[in-house]
């Protein structure tokens, strides 16, 4: 009997606790949690940068590798049988620190070459023959569907900075770096090479693309052959925000001309990344040149 009363009392307390949580306004999902955090920012308990990073942390688990990866066509890679002179030329021109090394096909990545491993060959290397196979590091392969929070944890535990993204057939579909993931949390990480970064439009499928919100309207028009006006807004992010009429949240979409824009990442201040669906895309649309790929 005593045991039954104890069980009933426990259930009553749990029920009252749940009712108290509901009445107390504790957040029940991410959206409500973000509202609480925004209220804390209004009361100056958080500053704008802190709120933005917290929002990035909450959103990063919703994004997958395919959403931010650099597609294979835009990878700056080296071929396994390239001579030293050509490899050094590519390394100096791109200023990247890591390079995927491919075999006979660009979809076959056989390893990663670190630029620092080439330093000893920049001057007299004592007659030592160059063999890229001796310098290769093992490549890390991840599927397109992997969530970014999981990938970040793996990057930290393995101390790797780059992963090769494979498609359903096991072929390299692109690459992703730890910087790409961290940018989803802290925003753009500019370095001394980013001035030559290019338009920031990345093809994800036949008619699907990702575009950084700061991509200029001019670059967007040049890439797609579109004719959006840049008189009022300089960037695609500004164009999307104006069309929606408010600062959008992740998942909101709008159709402009022959494109459907969907917000992939945004915080309380601005839009960072949008998905672009070309509703009448044709195969002869131009590709971003390799030189426009992001530094790694």
């Amino acid at each position: 009997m005593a045991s039954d009363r104890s069980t009933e009392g426990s259930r009553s307390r749990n029920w009252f606790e749940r009712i108290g949580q509901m009445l107390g306004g504790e957040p029940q999902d991410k959206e409500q949690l973000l509202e609480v955090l925004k209220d804390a920012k209004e009361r100056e308990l958080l500053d704008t940068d802190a709120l933005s990073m917290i929002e990035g942390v909450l959103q990063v688990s919703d994004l997958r590798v395919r959403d931010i990866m650099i597609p294979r066509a835009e990878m700056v890679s080296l071929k396994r049988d390239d001579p030293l002179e050509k490899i050094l030329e590519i390394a100096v021109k791109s200023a990247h620190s890591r390079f995927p090394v491919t075999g006979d096909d660009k979809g076959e990545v056989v390893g990663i070459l670190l630029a620092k491993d080439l330093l000893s060959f920049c001057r007299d290397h004592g007659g030592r023959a160059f063999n890229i196979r001796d310098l290769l590091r093992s490549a890390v392969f991840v599927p397109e569907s992997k969530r970014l929070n999981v990938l970040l944890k793996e990057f930290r535990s393995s101390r790797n900075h780059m992963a090769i993204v494979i498609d359903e057939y096991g072929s390299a579909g692109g690459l992703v770096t730890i910087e790409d993931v961290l940018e989803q949390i802290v925003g753009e990480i500019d370095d001394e090479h980013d001035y030559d970064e290019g338009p920031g439009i990345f093809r994800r499928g036949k008619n699907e693309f990702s575009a950084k919100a700061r991509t200029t309207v001019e670059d967007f028009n040049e890439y797609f052959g579109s004719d959006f006006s840049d008189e009022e807004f300089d960037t695609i992010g500004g164009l999307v925000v104006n069309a929606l009429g408010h600062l959008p949240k992740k998942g909101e979409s709008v159709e402009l001309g022959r494109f459907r824009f969907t917000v992939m990442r945004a915080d309380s201040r601005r839009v960072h990344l949008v998905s672009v669906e070309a509703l009448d895309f044709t195969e002869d649309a131009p590709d971003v040149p390799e030189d426009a790929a992001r530094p790694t």
Side-chain angles (χ1 to χ4, degrees):
M1 262 326 244
S3 176
D4 291 341
R5 286 196 298 271
S6 175
T7 301
E8 291 178 1
S10 177
R11 289 175 179 170
S12 297
R13 285 194 300 273
N14 289 337
W15 184 80
F16 279 117
E17 287 174 359
R18 290 198 296 271
I19 293 296
Q21 290 175 353
M22 294 172 63
L23 295 176
E26 291 189 9
Q28 304 299 312
D29 53 34
K30 285 184 179 180
E31 291 300 320
Q32 292 184 17
L33 177 57
L34 283 173
E35 291 302 319
V36 172
L37 292 171
K38 289 176 182 178
D39 180 65
K41 188 259 181 182
E42 292 297 323
R43 290 185 286 127
E44 298 184 353
L45 299 176
L46 290 174
D47 61 26
T48 301
D49 289 336
L51 175 61
S52 178
M53 285 189 284
I54 294 173
E55 288 178 324
V57 169
L58 293 174
Q59 293 177 4
V60 79
S61 61
D62 295 328
L63 294 175
R64 298 180 184 272
V65 168
R66 70 169 69 93
D67 296 325
I68 69 166
M69 73 178 191
I70 299 173
R72 181 172 70 189
E74 296 160 23
M75 286 169 32
V76 177
S77 59
L78 305 171
K79 292 183 178 180
R80 179 172 51 194
D81 297 322
D82 281 344
L84 176 61
E85 291 74 18
K86 184 174 182 179
I87 290 174
L88 289 174
E89 179 183 353
I90 294 174
V92 171
K93 183 178 179 180
S94 67
H96 294 185
S97 59
R98 291 171 176 79
F99 300 89
V101 178
T102 64
D104 298 328
D105 182 81
K106 200 169 183 179
E108 178 197 4
V109 175
V110 297
I112 303 295
L113 179 69
L114 302 188
K116 66 180 183 180
D117 290 337
L118 295 172
L119 293 177
S120 61
F121 293 93
C122 292
R123 300 183 66 179
D124 180 21
H125 46 82
R128 180 162 59 98
F130 174 77
N131 188 339
I132 195 172
R133 293 167 177 79
D134 296 334
L135 304 177
L136 288 184
R137 313 288 182 101
S138 298
V140 175
F141 297 93
V142 298
E144 295 178 347
S145 58
K146 183 178 287 291
R147 293 186 181 277
L148 294 191
N149 58 331
V150 177
L151 178 61
L152 180 58
K153 184 177 180 180
E154 292 178 357
F155 272 145
R156 291 177 60 193
S157 61
S158 65
R159 297 185 180 182
N160 285 307
H161 288 208
M162 174 187 288
I164 304 301
V165 184
I166 55 174
D167 59 24
E168 57 184 313
Y169 305 106
S171 178
L175 65 82
V176 63
T177 70
I178 191 171
E179 179 179 314
D180 296 325
V181 182
L182 290 175
E183 283 186 339
Q184 306 310 308
I185 299 174
V186 301
E188 298 296 331
I189 303 174
D190 295 324
D191 61 27
E192 64 271 26
H193 306 295
D194 281 346
Y195 67 89
D196 196 29
E197 188 175 327
I201 302 172
F202 309 102
R203 188 172 182 174
R204 295 172 15 228
K206 182 179 179 180
N207 65 331
E208 296 180 352
F209 304 78
S210 295
K212 293 183 177 181
R214 67 179 183 177
T215 300
T216 66
V217 173
E218 181 182 0
D219 284 335
F220 187 92
N221 286 339
E222 182 179 352
Y223 186 96
F224 288 103
S226 53
D227 57 357
F228 289 116
S229 172
D230 59 357
E231 291 184 3
E232 293 187 56
F233 305 98
D234 295 328
T235 66
I236 289 302
L239 204 66
V240 170
V241 171
N242 178 67
L244 287 168
H246 61 273
L247 187 61
K249 298 179 181 179
K250 178 180 177 293
E252 292 191 59
S253 62
V254 63
E255 288 190 16
L256 293 173
R258 55 191 178 92
F259 301 94
R260 179 182 293 114
F261 296 91
T262 302
V263 177
M264 297 175 63
R265 192 169 79 85
D267 56 33
S268 58
R269 294 178 295 168
R270 61 184 179 272
V271 175
H272 293 278
L273 190 68
V274 296
S275 172
V276 182
E277 181 182 359
L279 302 178
D280 63 346
F281 184 75
T282 57
E283 289 297 333
D284 59 354
D287 287 327
V288 176
E290 288 190 357
D291 286 347
R294 284 175 289 178
T296 60

